[in-house]
Amino acid sequence: MGRLFGTDGVRGVANKELTPELAFNLGKAGASVLSKDGNRPVFVIGRDTRLSGDMLESALTAGILAVGGHVIKAGVIPTPAVAHLVKKYKADAGVVISASHNPFEYNGIKFFNGEGYKLDDKIEDKIEGIILAGIDSNMHQTGDAIGKCLDAGKDAQALYIEFLAETFEGNMEGMKIVLDCANGAAYETAPTVFRTLGAEVITIGCEPDGININDNIGSTHPELLQKTVVETGADMGLAYDGDADRLIVVDEKGQIIDGDKTICICAKMLKDEGLLDNNLVTATVMSNIGFHKYIKENVGADVNVTAVGDRYVLESMIENGCVIGGEQSGHIIFLNYTTTGDGTLSSLQFVKAVQKSGKKPSELAAEIEIYPQTLVNAKVANENKNDYLKDKEIQDYIAEIEEEMKGSGRVLIRPSGTEPLVRVMIEGEDIERINQLAEDLAKKISDKYM
């Protein structure tokens, strides 16, 4: 068995790679590692709408109870809701059973600590080490030492909805909004909070059956949302992924507003309100050059750049005192409200920005010039994925490309973390030219290192 934890928990095909046996062991190992001074750890468990969710929830719960931990079951609820509820219930940890935007046959298990942040790598390593070493962390509890499922008190969904509504100033009366919940975890919470705030809500992707999560719908497939917004004359459309930690916006014309543009629009609102701490916005290396120009010229702020992945975005935000950051994919963190990406919260902030601007979403988006971007994969031998970094010929060619674009474009090359590929991304004003340059550069790398 190889390494279990990836960048976003343990994932795999349910009942094949992510088995109930593995879920049971994760529950046991997690509870034993997180036990403090002999006290029983309390876990909040939430899941999305996948068919395998019941199976994995039951196995995970059994593992935690076997070690003497207690469990609060939050039911079907977005990932960021678990991060919030861990703090609300004063629990020791949260666990989300979801594979995010992946097809229904996949599932995943990821942990949050008692502050609502993803577990530190060192703690994940301890949990993983126990399982891979085959150590029985059951401790063979008997009698009243066995854990139990605790009463959550007020409905978990209601607590989360209440929290979301409190992050929005005013109301949405007179607004018509289409919500695409991807047949996933937000299918009840998101429509409820928008209706609570007075919006007329049209829903799609709100009829989960266990197998239709992310199926040609949601943030990775917004085509139906685009069509519905135009046909209904809505003010905008908002799409989430399966566990509702991402947001993709569709304007009133049916045009997509990606994460880069959404962050720009919300960062401008925060700056105008005097809430953009340290005049800083966090983004990954994949953020468009147009994003950087808008933040500098229109927001008057700097961009802190991190590696790809919400974990790295969050780490940088905390380290540098930044309140907003995220990725093109729509994973956006508002650190003054929450500790992780939250699609519903991000959409509420976007609506707030639209209202405060007095403009339509399409008008706000048009203020941000997104440069054409092309991505070409160079096939290489796996052991040679980093050799281009020291190759003078390759580096000189990259310098030639950047000189040609003279500040109106950029080159980004990074090795794939999972495949024998080097990814070549070029941005610039002329799409045909950057396509040719990317193909040429990828060929040079492949020819030398395949």
Side-chain angles (χ1 to χ4, degrees):
M1 184 184 292
R3 180 169 172 81
L4 300 177
F5 284 92
T7 57
D8 204 24
V10 180
R11 286 193 185 178
V13 175
N15 216 24
K16 180 181 179 182
E17 297 158 338
L18 182 53
T19 63
E21 292 84 0
L22 177 54
F24 179 69
N25 287 329
L26 282 167
K28 287 197 301 179
S32 63
V33 167
L34 293 168
S35 294
K36 299 175 183 175
D37 303 321
N39 294 326
R40 297 170 180 263
V42 177
F43 285 74
V44 177
I45 299 179
R47 59 185 175 84
D48 66 21
T49 57
R50 292 165 208 269
L51 189 65
S52 58
D54 287 334
M55 174 187 73
L56 294 171
E57 180 189 56
S58 297
L60 181 70
T61 299
I64 294 168
L65 302 184
V67 182
H70 296 319
V71 169
I72 298 173
K73 293 184 180 181
V76 173
I77 203 160
T79 287
V82 173
H84 172 70
L85 292 169
V86 165
K87 294 180 290 182
K88 195 74 175 178
Y89 291 133
K90 297 181 180 179
D92 297 283
V95 190
V96 176
I97 302 169
S98 173
S100 187
H101 59 282
N102 289 47
F104 91 94
E105 61 267 25
Y106 289 84
N107 218 325
I109 294 175
K110 59 184 171 184
F111 290 82
F112 289 93
N113 66 21
E115 298 299 316
Y117 295 103
K118 291 179 181 177
L119 282 189
D120 184 88
D121 287 344
K122 292 180 181 178
I123 298 177
E124 283 188 350
D125 289 343
K126 284 184 180 179
I127 295 171
E128 183 170 291
I130 289 171
I131 296 171
L132 295 183
I135 298 170
D136 181 9
S137 55
N138 190 20
M139 297 187 281
H140 305 287
Q141 303 284 22
T142 59
D144 63 2
I146 296 172
K148 62 182 179 181
C149 290
L150 303 177
D151 182 5
K154 190 174 181 180
D155 179 73
Q157 281 195 358
L159 286 172
Y160 179 56
I161 290 166
E162 187 178 281
F163 157 70
L164 289 172
E166 289 173 353
T167 69
F168 189 85
E169 301 167 10
N171 61 68
M172 300 183 192
E173 291 179 7
M175 297 190 75
K176 183 189 291 186
I177 297 174
V178 183
L179 296 181
D180 178 355
C181 297
N183 291 314
Y187 83 100
E188 290 182 323
T189 54
T192 300
V193 73
F194 275 86
R195 288 182 177 127
T196 298
L197 292 168
E200 178 186 346
V201 178
I202 299 167
T203 59
I204 58 178
C206 286
E207 297 179 353
D209 60 11
I211 63 174
N212 62 359
I213 187 171
N214 301 317
D215 188 10
N216 290 315
I217 204 159
S219 61
T220 52
H221 299 282
E223 297 82 12
L224 179 58
L225 178 61
Q226 292 174 274
K227 180 182 177 183
T228 305
V229 167
V230 174
E231 288 179 347
T232 60
D235 295 293
M236 69 183 75
L238 305 164
Y240 313 120
D241 60 339
D243 69 335
D245 64 353
R246 298 188 194 190
L247 164 71
I248 291 295
V249 178
V250 169
D251 70 22
E252 78 284 357
K253 296 180 179 179
Q255 301 170 135
I256 292 174
I257 300 176
D258 69 4
D260 273 358
K261 286 195 172 187
T262 299
I263 295 169
C264 284
I265 291 166
C266 290
K268 179 70 163 57
M269 173 188 69
L270 291 172
K271 180 62 180 289
D272 292 344
E273 293 179 332
L275 298 174
L276 190 65
D277 291 0
N278 296 318
N279 260 356
L280 191 64
V281 178
T282 299
T284 75
V285 292
M286 294 302 292
S287 57
N288 193 276
I289 191 172
F291 170 95
H292 291 259
K293 288 195 170 187
Y294 181 88
I295 294 296
K296 181 178 181 180
E297 297 172 4
N298 294 71
V299 179
D302 295 320
V303 177
N304 184 51
V305 180
T306 75
V308 174
D310 63 284
R311 177 186 292 261
Y312 304 113
V313 171
L314 178 61
E315 287 174 356
S316 178
M317 290 175 69
I318 294 171
E319 182 180 345
N320 294 288
C322 179
V323 296
I324 183 172
E327 303 179 276
Q328 278 181 327
S329 63
H331 197 285
I332 305 169
I333 302 172
F334 288 84
L335 202 53
N336 47 352
Y337 291 120
T338 188
T339 55
T340 189
D342 188 326
T344 311
L345 189 148
S346 297
S347 59
L348 292 172
Q349 300 310 303
F350 181 83
V351 173
K352 187 195 299 185
V354 170
Q355 287 185 337
K356 287 182 176 293
S357 73
K359 298 178 181 178
K360 294 180 178 180
S362 63
E363 294 173 326
L364 289 173
E367 295 173 359
I368 307 153
E369 181 186 4
I370 295 297
Y371 283 58
Q373 187 181 84
T374 189
L375 180 67
V376 179
N377 290 325
K379 293 182 179 180
V380 296
N382 206 45
E383 64 272 18
N384 297 334
K385 284 197 294 188
N386 292 298
D387 288 0
Y388 70 89
L389 290 167
K390 301 175 184 177
D391 189 307
K392 186 176 186 303
E393 180 185 351
I394 299 296
Q395 295 303 316
D396 286 348
Y397 188 61
I398 291 172
E400 287 178 23
I401 295 172
E402 291 176 334
E403 175 62 25
E404 178 181 329
M405 293 188 289
K406 295 179 180 177
S408 294
R410 66 176 181 135
V411 181
L412 174 66
I413 306 179
R414 62 187 184 95
S416 168
T418 58
E419 300 174 89
L421 300 172
V422 171
R423 306 195 191 282
V424 175
M425 190 275 284
I426 300 183
E427 287 173 351
E429 296 174 321
D430 184 339
I431 185 63
E432 291 186 6
R433 181 57 178 156
I434 65 172
N435 280 339
Q436 184 60 56
L437 290 170
E439 292 284 354
D440 291 347
L441 180 53
K443 186 175 186 302
K444 284 181 181 290
I445 294 172
S446 188
D447 286 349
K448 294 194 74 171
Y449 297 110
M450 184 60 190

